[in-house]
Amino acid sequence: MEQFDAIVLGAGGAGLMCAAVAGQRGRRVVVLDHGTEPGRKIVISGGGRCNFTNREAIPERYVSANPHFAKSALGRYTAQDFLELVERHGIAWHEKTLGQLFCDGSARQIVAMLLDECDKGQVTLRLGGEIGEIAHADARYTVEHDGRRYTAPSLVIATGGPSIPKLGATGFAYDLARRFGLKVVEPRPALVPLTLPGEQALFRALSGVATPVVAASRPAKGKDGAGRGASFAEAALFTHKGLSGPAILQVSSYWRSGEAVAIDLVPGAAPGWLRAAKRARPRATLAAALPLPGRLGDALAEVIGVGELGSATDRALEDAERRLADWQFHPNGTEGFAKAEVTVGGIATAGLSSKTMEARHLPGLFAIGEAVDVTGWLGGYNFQWAWASGWAAAQAV
C-alpha cells in the first residue's frame, strides 16, 4: 500500500495540471492511467499543434446545466495565466482567428511542459495498467492499479468523457461518480458533425463544398430553449453524411434530437438584394446570383424553384431571400462519440463546489475537466477549462 496526499485518475490535460500544481504545493501526488501515453488528446488536438487556450474564454461560452458554475475557476486561472506558463517554457505560439492560440511547433510541447511541471512537483506517474477496485473508508480512498494499491485522503476524477474512444476514452468517470453518490447529466456527443436524413440527400451530393454561414440551433416548438441557444458565424461543410465545419460543430453542442438547425447561407446580405439583382441583371439565374460555390448555388436554386430572376415575381424573390437567410435543416443525429471532440453533460455541477471542484457531500472527492458538465466552444475553450478546473482542485487537495 503506497500512501499519498492525492490520487489523480487520468493523465490528460486536467489531471496533469492538477497533479503538477498540487505537487508544487508540497502534496505527494500519484497519477494513474490505463493508457501508456500521457496527454493523448493534447497530442492530436489542433491538427497536431494544440489549440491550447482562447483569449476569450469567458463563462458565457460554455454549455452546462448551471451556466454560472465555471465562473469561479475560469476567473481565478485565466487564459493569460496559462499563456505565461507556456512562455516560461519557451514554447513559441501564434494566434489564429477568434482568439485561438496554437503552438508554432508540436502539441507534444504542451505535454512535455506539463510533465516537466509534474517533475518539479515530484509527482509519481503510473501509466499502462488497468484501474481496479476503488474504495472509500476512514476518510481515505484506496485504488488498485496494475497490481498495486494506493491510498490517499483525496481522489481526483480526471478521466474525461467518452469522446474519441479510439484513444481509450470511456464513461468510467460517470460510473465512478454515481458509485460515490454524484449525479450525472446525460452525456451527449459535442463538437461533432450532424447527419441528415434521406429526404435531404440532395445536399449529400455536395460533399466537400464549404461556405461561410451563420448557423444556430432552433429548439422545437413547445420546448424551452432559453439559455442554450447560440449562433456562430463560421464555415459550414457539406459531407457525404450531412453537415460539418466549424459553425456546425459549434451548433452541435446546443442541438438536441428533433430540433432544426437554421443556417443563414448569405450572411450580411441586405434586405431586397435579390430584387436589386433582378433589376441589374434580369437575365441572370438565381444560381448565378447567389454568392456561393457553384454546386451549392445550383442545388439551392433547384429546391427554391427560381430560374431567371427577370421571370420571377418580387414576392417569389422575397420568399427566396427569407429562405436563404433561414434555411432549415433537420438532422436525424450526429456522427457520435467516435467523431465528437468533447462531451456535453457529465458529472452534475450541483454536487460540486465551483471553487474547489470537491464533492459537497463527500470530502476529498474531486471531479475536473471534461468529466464535469461544463463544455466549451470550439477553439481552445475546453483546454482552458481543463487547466482552470485542474488548478482549482489543486488548491484544495
Side-chain angles (χ1 to χ4, degrees):
M1 182 83 76
E2 298 184 53
Q3 304 213 12
F4 291 87
D5 295 318
I7 300 168
V8 177
L9 302 180
L16 292 175
M17 184 71 172
C18 179
V21 174
Q24 291 178 39
R25 291 184 60 241
R27 303 296 189 264
R28 292 167 301 156
V29 184
V30 61
V31 178
L32 308 177
D33 198 297
H34 70 281
T36 57
E37 180 186 2
R40 285 163 294 172
K41 276 193 176 180
I42 297 174
V43 170
I44 69 167
S45 67
R49 293 182 185 272
C50 187
N51 181 188
F52 56 80
T53 192
N54 194 296
R55 291 192 185 276
E56 306 300 324
I58 56 176
E60 291 76 14
R61 295 185 176 181
Y62 289 81
V63 183
S64 173
N66 177 1
H68 301 291
F69 182 82
K71 288 181 178 179
S72 177
L74 291 172
R76 288 183 301 129
Y77 191 85
T78 67
Q80 184 60 35
D81 291 324
F82 190 77
L83 182 57
E84 289 172 3
L85 177 63
V86 167
E87 291 183 331
R88 283 203 300 274
H89 281 260
I91 299 173
W93 58 276
H94 60 278
E95 182 171 348
K96 287 192 176 179
T97 57
L98 306 173
Q100 303 169 48
L101 305 188
F102 287 78
C103 297
D104 284 357
S106 168
R108 293 186 182 276
Q109 293 175 284
I110 299 296
V111 178
M113 177 191 76
L114 293 170
L115 292 177
D116 185 48
E117 290 292 309
C118 283
D119 286 343
K120 290 178 183 176
Q122 299 183 316
V123 172
T124 300
L125 206 61
R126 298 281 164 82
L127 306 176
E130 291 300 316
I131 294 175
E133 182 182 354
I134 300 175
H136 178 248
D138 301 323
R140 294 188 73 83
Y141 297 86
T142 303
V143 180
E144 290 185 359
H145 177 262
D146 197 25
R148 300 185 181 188
R149 298 180 74 204
Y150 305 85
T151 183
S154 293
L155 177 67
V156 182
I157 304 173
T159 54
S163 61
I164 320 183
K166 68 180 180 181
L167 296 181
T170 70
F172 176 88
Y174 311 145
D175 296 335
L176 182 58
R178 290 187 184 101
R179 275 185 48 203
F180 284 121
L182 290 170
K183 293 183 179 179
V184 174
V185 175
E186 180 187 4
R188 296 180 288 114
L191 300 183
V192 64
L194 300 174
T195 58
L196 294 176
E199 60 267 23
Q200 298 189 47
L202 166 67
F203 294 98
R204 293 184 192 171
L206 300 172
S207 181
V209 173
T211 188
V213 302
V214 174
S217 181
R218 187 66 52 83
K221 289 182 179 180
K223 287 191 177 182
D224 179 16
R228 64 176 180 84
S231 61
F232 299 93
E234 294 189 68
L237 170 70
F238 291 89
T239 73
H240 67 286
K241 292 184 178 179
L243 297 168
S244 188
I248 302 303
L249 297 182
Q250 297 278 37
V251 163
S252 73
S253 297
Y254 295 85
W255 179 83
R256 293 180 185 174
S257 180
E259 296 180 354
V261 171
I263 297 181
D264 183 350
L265 291 157
V266 284
W273 68 276
L274 271 180
R275 283 174 292 157
K278 172 184 173 180
R279 290 192 294 272
R281 300 165 56 206
R283 301 290 299 273
T285 63
L286 174 60
L290 294 176
L292 297 167
R295 284 199 292 150
L296 177 57
D298 291 341
L300 293 170
E302 180 182 338
V303 175
I304 291 171
V306 171
E308 279 193 6
L309 298 180
S311 301
T313 65
D314 283 356
R315 170 171 277 188
L317 295 180
E318 289 171 5
D319 289 342
E321 283 185 18
R322 281 193 292 270
R323 192 164 182 188
L324 289 164
D326 188 31
W327 198 282
Q328 301 277 316
F329 289 95
H330 295 272
N332 60 354
T334 75
E335 291 195 32
F337 286 114
K339 295 295 180 69
E341 294 192 20
V342 291
T343 305
V344 162
I347 298 171
T349 60
L352 303 174
S353 161
S354 62
K355 182 177 180 181
T356 64
M357 312 304 293
E358 187 174 17
R360 295 184 183 280
H361 75 291
L362 190 56
L365 180 66
F366 298 79
I368 59 176
E370 189 185 344
V372 179
D373 176 32
V374 174
T375 305
W377 286 8
L378 183 72
Y381 293 91
N382 288 293
F383 275 132
Q384 185 56 37
W385 171 245
W387 318 138
S389 60
W391 183 91
Q395 309 306 309
V397 296

